[in-house]
Amino acid sequence: MSYKDKKIYIAGHRGMVGSSIKRNLEAEGYRNLVFKDSSELNLVRQADVEKFFEMEKPQVVIIAAARVGGILANNTYRAEFIYDNLMIESNLVHSAYKHGTEKLIFLGSSCIYPRLAPQPLKEEYLLSDYLEFTNEPYAIAKIAGIKLCENYYRQYGCNFYSAMPTNLFGPNDNFDLETSHVLPALIRKFHEAKTEKKTEVILWGTGKPRREFLYVDDLAEAVRFLIEKINAKDLYEQGITHINIGTGKDLSIDELARLVSDITGYSGKIVYDTSRPDGTPRKLMDVSRINKLGWKHTTSLKEGIERAYSWYLKQFFR
Ligand SMILES: NC(=O)c1ccc[n+]([C@@H]2O[C@H](COP(=O)([O-])OP(=O)(O)OC[C@H]3O[C@@H](n4cnc5c(N)ncnc54)[C@H](OP(=O)(O)O)[C@@H]3O)[C@@H](O)[C@H]2O)c1
């Protein structure tokens, strides 16, 4: 049976990542997708998750449901970030095992790597040093998710593994300045500064940290590639527990801010509030493994930001 006919449950299908995976699979002719939003199925509740798996018995599970946010949200809601994420992934992985799911892909993020890990980040740097404090609860939960998949493979032979995308952006991103990631926050700040004819935009930190960004529809392509081509043993037999997904290219926050200001048409000054935290100095994924396996990103950063900005305008100002 082709993957197109298998019953695939995308947990978190309304989020930025889940909705992109849903669009991608539907466009490619996948016919048997199942979804539940958080009001119908709260994935933190174990009994509800078990009941859902007993009824639906999905053959493939993609975990794109998580409690997610930028530095401020991660650092403020520390207990909620660790609790919700541990519960969501434990409930899903265990139910998938109990109900015979044939393949499960767990999505984490690059914050699982130590704060001062050598760059670019190779898969094997996991657990080699201390984490960044501001997002430690989230990172610990995500590392637990990787270890759940690995050890359900080692003990039970489950075809469960993890993929770690770099920073993502695109349609359905979160533009709430209290909880958003850096790129959507920049789009919103520069757009508002342009329309309100402001002469300066203040950004947190020094502008020096370097980051990598992947357009979310490219990630969805990568997830489909993993569903169709890669199995747990392909990673674990190589001695790795997860696979990085990114572009392999980074830029400074200041370079990013200038790119976003050009795309949005803001022409005032950019000022840095250096009393605010910078977070990890550099985060760049080593993506040579997934590239060698046969997947590479296709959308340039500029093209991706243009698409994300046009989605933002349509969504909020039409
Ligand atoms: N955004 C990024 O830059 C980025 C980068 C790397 C990795 N990732 C990974 O990608 C995954 C998804 O991120 P995202 O940016 O798409 O986040 P998002 O837009 O905030 O979406 C999160 C999704 O999780 C669901 N969810 C949260 N708590 C839930 C609960 N208790 N029960 C059921 N569903 C729940 C939400 O469902 P409802 O909408 O139904 O409430 C939502 O659909 C995460 O694992 C994250 O680590 C994201």
Side-chain angles (χ1 to χ4, degrees):
M1 187 195 259
S2 130
Y3 275 103
K4 290 189 178 171
D5 297 310
K6 293 203 188 249
K7 187 182 268 193
I8 302 184
Y9 166 46
I10 305 172
H13 73 288
R14 290 202 311 185
M16 174 174 70
V17 170
S19 62
S20 179
I21 296 170
K22 176 174 184 276
R23 282 196 304 278
N24 183 292
L25 296 184
E26 283 173 347
E28 291 297 324
Y30 281 69
R31 308 170 256 270
N32 199 359
L33 306 179
V34 284
F35 324 104
K36 287 270 182 222
D37 64 42
S38 61
S39 66
E40 299 166 299
L41 175 62
N42 181 353
L43 296 170
V44 166
R45 300 170 69 95
Q46 185 182 27
D48 295 356
V49 176
E50 285 193 350
K51 212 181 293 166
F52 168 75
F53 271 75
E54 210 173 288
M55 259 173 50
E56 292 289 353
K57 297 199 175 26
Q59 291 160 293
V60 177
V61 173
I62 309 297
I63 308 184
R67 176 111 191 189
V68 176
I71 296 184
L72 184 63
N74 266 279
N75 202 16
T76 310
Y77 307 111
R78 298 179 71 90
E80 292 172 45
F81 270 72
I82 191 163
Y83 177 78
D84 284 7
N85 287 311
L86 282 173
M87 295 305 287
I88 290 171
E89 63 212 31
S90 303
N91 291 339
L92 287 171
V93 167
H94 191 67
S95 287
Y97 151 66
K98 270 178 71 178
H99 296 283
T101 294
E102 295 164 22
K103 184 179 276 192
L104 177 146
I105 301 175
F106 169 66
L107 294 175
S109 89
S110 58
C111 69
I112 56 150
Y113 290 111
R115 171 181 158 79
L116 298 174
Q119 304 284 329
L121 298 160
K122 291 185 192 296
E123 284 89 352
E124 44 270 59
Y125 297 163
L126 181 72
L127 291 174
S128 60
D129 202 347
Y130 294 106
L131 298 166
E132 158 69 24
F133 177 76
T134 49
N135 58 22
E136 192 191 69
Y138 180 74
I140 291 279
K142 289 291 180 188
I143 293 170
I146 295 174
K147 291 293 170 185
L148 275 166
C149 293
E150 181 195 354
N151 291 300
Y152 276 65
Y153 169 79
R154 292 196 189 284
Q155 184 175 347
Y156 304 127
C158 296
N159 189 10
F160 296 176
Y161 65 93
S162 309
M164 298 300 123
T166 189
N167 301 299
L168 303 167
F169 68 100
N172 291 318
D173 210 340
N174 170 14
F175 288 90
D176 173 347
L177 295 179
E178 282 271 301
T179 51
S180 60
H181 287 117
V182 58
L183 214 164
L186 289 177
I187 291 178
R188 177 164 174 184
K189 282 191 172 187
F190 285 120
H191 174 77
E192 288 180 353
K194 178 187 75 176
T195 51
E196 292 161 19
K197 301 195 173 21
K198 287 193 178 148
T199 54
E200 65 176 41
V201 165
I202 299 171
L203 303 180
W204 277 31
T206 61
K208 288 186 185 146
R210 297 184 69 81
R211 294 287 183 273
E212 175 189 11
F213 297 91
L214 177 71
Y215 187 59
V216 70
D217 290 355
D218 283 15
L219 171 75
E221 268 296 309
V223 169
R224 186 165 59 81
F225 168 79
L226 295 178
I227 294 174
E228 292 173 357
K229 306 262 192 275
I230 308 297
N231 290 305
K233 69 170 174 31
D234 301 329
L235 306 191
Y236 300 123
E237 280 179 7
Q238 278 190 33
I240 55 162
T241 52
H242 59 281
I243 188 142
N244 289 341
I245 308 178
T247 63
K249 294 176 201 157
D250 65 353
L251 78 175
S252 73
I253 295 297
D254 186 53
E255 288 166 326
L256 177 72
R258 286 173 202 288
L259 183 59
V260 176
S261 80
D262 279 355
I263 290 170
T264 56
Y266 166 76
S267 54
K269 273 205 307 200
I270 300 173
V271 177
Y272 287 96
D273 176 357
T274 53
S275 69
R276 302 293 196 162
D278 261 345
T280 307
R282 190 176 186 207
K283 258 207 281 187
L284 174 65
M285 295 279 210
D286 182 324
V287 291
S288 48
R289 269 207 169 86
I290 194 157
N291 289 168
K292 265 188 220 132
L293 287 171
W295 177 86
K296 196 172 182 312
H297 78 288
T298 52
T299 309
S300 73
L301 182 58
K302 181 166 178 289
E303 203 179 326
I305 297 173
E306 284 166 352
R307 287 193 211 162
Y309 182 46
S310 113
W311 182 88
Y312 169 78
L313 292 176
K314 268 194 220 131
Q315 185 73 6
F316 298 107
F317 301 99
R318 204 167 41 185

